[in-house]
């Protein structure tokens, strides 16, 4: 019900006013044409805050048209992606402490595609896949398409709990773990180096494969060592240029274990031939001329400012799990409240929030909402949305009405 509210609000079919309730919008009055009236503030989608990346991409496309660089990119090109693109991408990852090897890097249509390719190689249809107890919505979507049975593993402030992971492997006989050790989605947890050592060993002990989603690693000044670096022979390392540049580029990459390289390249062929070379060229040029690093610095600064606003406005209602500012913060569900009520009340106040998909329905202590701070067009819009969220949290009566 709460999702339907949020969706209807986003489509401009209903509008809500605090204290009055939710009303169906009268289309004949042309309210839908008035953007300011119909658009809710989106705190559900994890988009990066605007830092001028679109302008940079447009400028680069202009340069490519002018210098003829684009012309050769409209052909059928290697499925893996051009070496001229993989090399700068690998070098960029290496600067972040990732052991990236151009020969084993496969350029994909975003991280979502990379995850889906990796899973397709190691997780047979209908098999059990282990994930954190709350996981990325794209994994849920993939599981419902491929028929994977997701099994949530309990977490603490550092992400996956080693004992819980060990028993989950033993109980389910699963051979695949998908996880996000750095700035986990949706909680924002960051796994310590010591915990990473233990988790990697458990994966090895159970002869399993790992799909490591490191989409947010660029937000660290000094990125923790990946799980992949501990388990290169059984890990797929997933990265993306959606969050450090722009989601619409649809460029990501996966580094495969040596023995899966050729099968992964064939899987790209089977699912789309190749990632769009023009967009991969844009990314490669921005890496080479240093603009990507400048964007990363701006994204980190923006994330830090937006987190500060969230902490100031929401105070004790949130407890960020990491000193590194992410684009999302975790809002634990206060005792005695329901997610449905929180989502519905937020929709009434013109704010879209989405509850995560809990994979362990009995684990009520882990319920909450991921607040994505990047989408609001300005920091003041974000602040006003968070103030409304705080008012909803403070108004216990309203929140218990649904
Ligand atoms: C954890 C995580 N992985 C993967 C993705 C997908 O990234 P892309 O847009 O590159 O497919 C997202 C996007 O929200 C994400 O949050």
């Amino acid at each position: 019900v709460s999702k339907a509210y949020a969706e209807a609000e986003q489509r401009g079919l209903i509008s809500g006013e605090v204290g009055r309730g939710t009303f169906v919008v009268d289309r004949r009055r042309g309210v839908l044409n008035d953007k300011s009236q119909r658009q809710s503030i989106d705190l559900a989608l994890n988009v990066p805050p605007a830092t001028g990346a679109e302008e940079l991409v447009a400028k680069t496309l202009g340069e490519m048209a002018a210098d003829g660089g684009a012309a050769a990119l409209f052909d059928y090109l290697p499925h893996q992606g051009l070496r001229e693109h993989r090399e700068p991408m690998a070098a960029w990852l290496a600067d972040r402490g990732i052991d990236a090897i151009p020969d084993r890097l496969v350029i994909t249509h975003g991280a979502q595609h990379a995850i889906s390719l990796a899973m397709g190689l190691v997780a047979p249809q209908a098999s059990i896949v282990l994930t954190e107890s709350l996981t990325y919505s794209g994994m849920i979507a993939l599981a419902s398409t491929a028929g994977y049975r997701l099994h949530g593993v309990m977490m603490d402030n550092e992400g996956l709990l080693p004992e819980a992971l060990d028993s989950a492997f033993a109980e389910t006989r699963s051979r695949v773990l998908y996880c996000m050790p750095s700035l986990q989605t949706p909680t924002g947890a960051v796994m310590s180096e010591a915990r990473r050592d233990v988790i990697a060993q458990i994966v090895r002990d159970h002869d399993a494969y790992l799909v490591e989603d490191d989409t947010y690693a660029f937000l660290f000044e000094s990125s923790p060592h990946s799980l992949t670096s501990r388990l290169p022979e059984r890990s797929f390392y997933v990265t993306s240029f959606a969050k450090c540049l722009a989601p619409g580029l649809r460029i990501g990459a996966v580094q495969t274990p040596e023995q899966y390289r050729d099968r992964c390249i064939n899987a790209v062929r089977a699912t789309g031939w190749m990632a769009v070379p023009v967009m991969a060229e844009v990314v490669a040029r921005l890496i080479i001329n240093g603009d990507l690093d400048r964007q990363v610095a701006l994204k980190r600064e923006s994330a830090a400012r937006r987190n500060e606003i969230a902490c100031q406005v929401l105070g004790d209602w949130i407890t960020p799990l990491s000193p590194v500012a992410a684009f999302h913060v975790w809002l634990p569900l206060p005792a005695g409240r329901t997610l449905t009520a929180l989502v519905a009340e937020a929709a009434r106040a013109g704010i879209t929030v989405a509850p995560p998909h809990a994979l362990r329905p009995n684990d009520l202590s882990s319920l909450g909402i991921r607040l994505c701070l990047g989408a609001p067009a300005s920091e003041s819009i974000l602040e006003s949305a968070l103030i409304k969220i705080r008012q909803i949290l403070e108004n216990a009566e309203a929140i218990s009405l649904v």
Side-chain angles (χ1 to χ4, degrees):
V1 169
S2 57
K3 279 195 173 164
Y5 260 109
E7 182 70 25
E9 174 85 29
Q10 201 163 34
R11 292 189 190 187
L13 300 174
I14 57 171
S15 75
E17 280 174 44
V18 182
R20 286 191 66 219
T22 301
F23 299 90
V24 174
V25 169
D26 182 350
R27 288 168 176 244
R28 286 165 308 179
R29 285 201 206 142
V31 177
L32 279 177
N33 295 329
D34 182 347
K35 256 187 147 193
S36 64
Q37 280 197 43
R38 87 178 143 95
Q39 278 199 340
S40 64
I41 302 174
D42 190 348
L43 300 185
L45 202 59
N46 217 358
V47 292
T51 51
E54 291 78 4
E55 292 80 348
L56 267 184
V57 171
K59 182 168 143 271
T60 310
L61 286 168
E63 285 163 8
M64 284 162 59
D67 66 21
L73 299 172
F74 288 104
D75 222 329
Y76 284 120
L77 293 171
H79 311 299
Q80 187 180 4
L82 292 169
R83 175 162 285 279
E84 296 86 319
H85 297 160
R86 284 181 285 114
E87 276 175 352
M89 285 180 194
W92 187 75
L93 287 170
D95 283 348
R96 259 135 222 95
I98 317 293
D99 307 322
I101 303 161
D103 196 43
R104 282 204 273 122
L105 205 59
V106 177
I107 303 179
T108 61
H109 188 65
Q112 180 68 36
H113 183 211
I115 297 164
S116 137
L117 293 176
M119 296 288 295
L121 294 172
V122 290
Q125 280 216 338
S127 62
I128 296 181
V129 171
L130 305 187
T131 69
E132 288 111 342
S133 57
L134 298 166
T135 192
Y136 163 52
S137 57
M139 172 49 77
I140 310 259
L142 175 62
S144 66
T145 306
Y148 303 133
R149 286 172 291 154
L150 300 184
H151 181 97
V153 175
M154 293 281 281
M155 291 187 280
D156 66 4
N157 289 356
E158 284 194 26
L160 290 170
L161 277 168
E163 316 80 64
L165 180 64
D166 195 31
S167 340
F169 271 126
E171 279 163 25
T172 64
R173 300 183 170 273
S174 169
R175 296 277 314 281
V176 184
L177 168 67
Y178 162 80
C179 70
M180 297 156 276
S182 296
L183 297 173
Q184 203 266 347
T185 284
T187 63
V190 179
M191 202 180 278
S192 66
E193 296 285 350
R195 175 77 62 90
R196 285 169 196 246
D197 287 342
V198 183
I199 295 289
Q201 190 55 47
I202 294 171
V203 173
R204 182 174 282 120
D205 288 347
H206 289 277
D207 195 22
Y209 285 98
L210 168 74
V211 177
E212 178 174 19
D213 184 344
D214 216 13
T215 297
Y216 297 105
F218 72 93
L219 285 167
F220 292 75
E221 281 288 342
S222 163
S223 176
H225 289 106
S226 61
L227 285 171
T228 299
S229 62
R230 290 152 163 99
L231 286 169
E233 75 287 2
R234 49 182 72 240
S235 299
F236 292 80
Y237 180 86
V238 172
T239 190
S240 169
F241 295 93
K243 313 291 177 173
C244 53
L245 270 176
L249 288 169
R250 305 312 304 138
I251 294 293
V254 56
Q255 175 148 300
T256 71
E258 177 63 43
Q259 72 274 26
Y260 278 100
R261 173 187 175 272
D262 294 352
R263 272 174 280 183
C264 188
I265 293 171
N266 194 44
V268 174
R269 179 179 204 267
T271 53
W273 193 273
M274 63 194 174
V276 180
V278 170
M279 292 310 176
E281 170 80 12
V282 170
V283 172
R285 286 189 182 211
L286 293 178
I287 291 173
I288 291 165
N289 70 16
D291 277 337
L292 180 54
D293 279 342
R294 283 184 280 279
Q295 274 301 306
V296 164
L298 292 171
K299 298 276 186 225
R300 282 184 195 152
E301 283 166 23
S302 178
R305 281 197 308 275
R306 286 177 181 237
N307 269 259
E308 214 173 287
I309 293 171
C311 288
Q312 269 167 12
V313 174
L314 294 174
D316 289 343
W317 295 104
I318 54 167
T319 37
L321 296 182
S322 149
V324 176
F327 299 151
H328 58 282
V329 288
W330 180 243
L331 171 66
L333 188 71
R337 317 290 169 85
T338 66
L339 282 179
T340 314
L342 185 50
V343 173
E345 280 299 316
R348 277 192 195 127
I351 300 163
T352 309
V353 289
H357 300 262
L359 297 175
R360 299 181 67 89
N362 296 331
D363 181 20
L364 291 174
S365 63
S366 70
L367 287 182
I369 280 195
R370 178 186 73 166
L371 296 175
C372 297
L373 310 177
S378 69
E379 288 165 17
S380 61
I381 295 176
L382 171 68
E383 186 173 12
S384 65
L386 293 174
I387 289 172
K388 285 183 190 164
I389 296 282
R390 190 188 64 210
Q391 287 163 349
I392 292 168
L393 292 166
E394 285 167 351
N395 184 355
E397 198 177 317
I399 212 165
S400 60
L401 283 176
V402 180

